[in-house]
Amino acid sequence: MAVDALDTRILRLLIEQPRTSVREYARILGVARGTLQARLDRLERDGVITGTGPTLSPAALGHPVLAFVHLEVTQGHLDEVGDALAALPEIIEAFSTTGGGDLLTRVVARDNGHLEDVIQRLIQLPGVVRTRTDVALRERVAHRVLPLVESVGRAAGGQTG
C-alpha cells in the first residue's frame, strides 16, 4: 500500500496526539473532515492502522521482568504449542521463526522467580522440546513505527493522492 505525504502527516498526528478528535486533526492538517475520514478509513481497511487502543506497560502492571524465550517444537506441533501459549497471560507476543528455534515469545514476569515458573510451564507444554531464554536488561529503542512511516512517505516522493 502506498503511503503518501498526507498519509504520513495523518499517521504522525495519530501517534503524537492519539486523543485528538478527527475534526481537530482535519483543522491541524488543513484538510476537509471528509477527506481525513476517507484517508483514515482507507488506512484501516488496508491494514496500516491496526488498532486505536492505549499502549499498556507490563512493568506498571507489576511485571517488570522482560524475557525473550525461544522454543524448539516437535515437528507438526507448532499450532498446538501456539494455542497453548495463547492461554498463558505472561506471553504477550509469540512469533514463528526461522533459525535456532521454531517460536520466539516475549514473556513478562513479576520477578526472576516468576520468570522461572513461566519457563517451567513452557517446557512442560506437549510438543516443546527445549527452550532458550534471553532476559532483557534495559530497553534501548522503544517500540516505534513513526521513523518507518516517514521513510516510506519520503520514498513515495511526497506525493499526495
Side-chain angles (χ1 to χ4, degrees), residues 22-143:
V22 171
R23 173 180 281 167
E24 182 63 10
Y25 288 141
R27 187 194 67 71
I28 292 167
L29 293 169
V31 299
R33 185 184 181 286
T35 299
L36 178 62
Q37 190 62 60
R39 291 291 186 115
L40 289 171
D41 292 345
R42 180 179 50 82
L43 290 166
E44 286 182 19
R45 186 177 56 251
D46 290 349
V48 174
I49 298 173
T50 58
T52 58
T55 302
L56 305 177
S57 166
L61 292 170
H63 290 68
V65 176
L66 171 63
F68 299 93
V69 181
H70 305 259
L71 289 89
E72 186 178 321
V73 177
T74 304
Q75 237 176 350
H77 291 272
L78 200 57
D79 289 340
E80 296 158 42
V81 173
D83 291 344
L85 293 174
L88 300 173
E90 297 88 356
I91 306 298
I92 58 174
E93 289 184 295
F95 302 91
S96 299
T97 63
T98 62
D102 300 300
L103 289 165
L104 173 63
T105 62
R106 189 168 157 213
V107 179
V108 294
R110 293 184 301 274
D111 53 37
N112 287 344
H114 182 218
L115 176 60
E116 181 181 12
D117 294 342
V118 173
I119 293 167
Q120 288 303 315
R121 285 191 305 203
L122 294 175
I123 291 169
Q124 294 172 12
L125 293 175
V128 173
V129 175
R130 161 179 313 110
T131 66
R132 189 187 91 236
T133 303
D134 297 313
V135 176
L137 300 176
R138 178 179 298 154
E139 183 177 69
R140 297 295 179 166
V141 178
H143 176 79

Side-chain angles (χ1 to χ4, degrees), residues 8-21:
T8 300
R9 292 174 56 214
I10 291 168
L11 294 168
R12 172 183 276 286
L13 272 176
L14 289 173
I15 292 167
E16 292 178 345
Q17 300 178 36
R19 292 180 168 226
T20 303
S21 69

